[in-house]
Amino acid sequence: MRVSIPTTSLFALQAPPYPGSTAQRGLIAGQWIALGLALSVACVAALMFDARMSIDPRSPVTWGFAGVLLLFGVTRYVFRTPRSAAQRVARDLSESVGAFMGISLLGATATYPLAADTHGSIDPLLQSVDAALHFDWVAWYQTVAAHRSLQLLGTAAYQSIFVTPALILGYCAWSDRRAEARGFIATFWLAAVVTLLLFRFMPAIGPLATQWHGPITYLPESALYEADLFPLLRTGNPYVVDLSALRGLVSVPSFHTASGVVYIAAAWPIARLRWPVLALTSAMLLATPVEGTHYLADMLAGATVALVAVLTIAAVRRRLA
């Protein structure tokens, strides 16, 4: 029997036909995601107020982020009851990408008031852990600094932290995997919260600032932001966080590593995503010691945080299923 396929929409040709699968096992309630985001906004606002920090509301970048998030929110609301595959994809994509973007912005912003409330650093401890593991960060850095190709590849791989979640969430929206997308968002959020809580008690400025002596022959992506900003933020003076130059100031646990483990866990059950995500994430993790100026100890801590988040949300989803 031949079946005719409507050609009025690109999504109608590619995405699963509406309404798609009706069984979304382990679907985390949207109200829970919204509540988590609302609590995160309140906590970050309280931290900023206590640290005498603010975000310039007149900045074009601030308005840009606000506009994009508003667009995602409006799209999610308008297509809350989709009548076609295209509308379902638009709804799910707006929901997941908007939530991921909001969590990322809140997490990076929260590092500023948290850094202002820290004292000293645990770099000597991290260096001793690396020494026990026979990890030579200086040798790793010298190898990258001596090869322009490694610098270019490392920078691209390190920045893939923004590409991989778009791949995961885009595929989940297209293939009607709403439960998986929400599980990924919840896991990422929990990993970010745990990372920030630990960062408050384990500040570090990184191996580039502590182990490299002499002229810096190659400045990695993370540069010396912790070493430069920590003393400034700790003065307690009013500070305006510039969203156009927003930097996550967490050294330990490594959030790039935590994100990478979360990405692999989210993509592994999906055959089409498993190997591309594993390749991208592996490259990112290899670039993290230099481009992120991280000790190996940072990365092990980040991986541990991610595993806790993955197992916790998996247990929640099993209960929901």
Side-chain angles (χ1 to χ4, degrees):
M1 181 177 67
R2 304 182 65 180
V3 180
S4 61
I5 301 176
T7 59
T8 56
S9 168
L10 177 62
F11 286 110
L13 290 171
Q14 297 179 344
Y18 177 80
S21 62
T22 56
Q24 295 279 359
R25 293 181 60 82
L27 179 67
I28 296 174
Q31 293 90 332
W32 293 11
I33 301 290
L35 179 60
L37 285 169
L39 289 174
S40 299
V41 170
C43 289
V44 173
L47 288 171
M48 296 279 286
F49 178 80
D50 185 63
R52 303 174 67 193
M53 294 184 182
S54 61
I55 296 174
D56 186 1
R58 297 168 296 181
S59 168
V61 176
T62 303
W63 280 95
F65 279 127
V68 171
L69 290 172
L70 179 62
L71 176 62
F72 283 138
V74 170
T75 304
R76 168 65 178 81
Y77 179 78
V78 170
F79 296 138
R80 63 191 182 278
T81 307
R83 294 183 174 86
S84 68
Q87 291 184 7
R88 175 185 56 73
V89 171
R91 179 201 65 184
D92 292 352
L93 197 61
S94 297
E95 173 186 292
S96 58
V97 174
F100 186 90
M101 181 178 174
I103 293 168
S104 300
L105 281 172
L106 288 169
T109 303
T111 63
Y112 286 73
L114 287 172
D117 199 33
T118 60
H119 305 279
S121 74
I122 64 166
D123 287 89
L125 173 61
L126 299 172
Q127 291 171 16
S128 65
V129 173
D130 274 15
L133 296 171
H134 303 287
F135 180 76
D136 189 343
W137 185 90
V138 172
W140 197 293
Y141 171 78
Q142 288 175 323
T143 300
V144 174
H147 297 86
R148 180 59 177 165
S149 58
L150 291 179
Q151 297 168 19
L152 295 174
L153 290 172
T155 299
Y158 191 72
Q159 293 295 341
S160 70
I161 191 174
F162 304 110
V163 176
T164 307
L167 181 64
I168 294 171
L169 295 174
Y171 185 83
C172 285
W174 174 82
S175 60
D176 193 22
R177 294 174 177 264
R178 200 179 191 190
E180 286 86 346
R182 285 188 180 177
F184 171 62
I185 292 296
T187 305
F188 184 80
W189 174 82
L190 182 57
V193 170
V194 175
T195 297
L196 291 171
L197 290 173
L198 293 175
F199 163 64
R200 166 62 183 80
F201 301 100
M202 297 191 299
I205 59 177
L208 181 62
T210 59
Q211 293 189 343
W212 183 257
H213 306 289
I216 297 177
T217 55
Y218 169 63
L219 191 64
E221 278 292 294
S222 293
L224 294 168
Y225 292 116
E226 288 88 355
D228 292 339
L229 286 174
F230 277 19
L232 176 63
L233 297 174
R234 287 170 175 173
T235 62
N237 295 324
Y239 186 86
V240 178
V241 177
D242 183 3
L243 294 185
S244 66
L246 190 63
R247 299 286 179 177
L249 300 179
V250 176
S251 180
V252 54
S254 164
F255 193 63
H256 260 74
T257 305
S259 298
V261 174
V262 170
Y263 296 167
I264 292 172
W268 196 258
I270 305 173
R272 291 184 178 180
L273 292 183
R274 181 181 303 157
W275 301 115
V277 168
L278 181 62
L280 273 174
T281 304
S282 297
M284 182 184 74
L285 294 177
L286 286 173
T288 295
V290 172
E291 297 303 330
T293 61
H294 280 295
Y295 303 98
L296 181 59
D298 299 347
M299 298 182 66
L300 294 175
T304 302
V305 166
L307 288 173
V308 170
V310 168
L311 294 175
T312 300
I313 299 302
V316 170
R317 292 188 61 201
R318 282 196 299 270
R319 290 290 295 251
L320 293 175

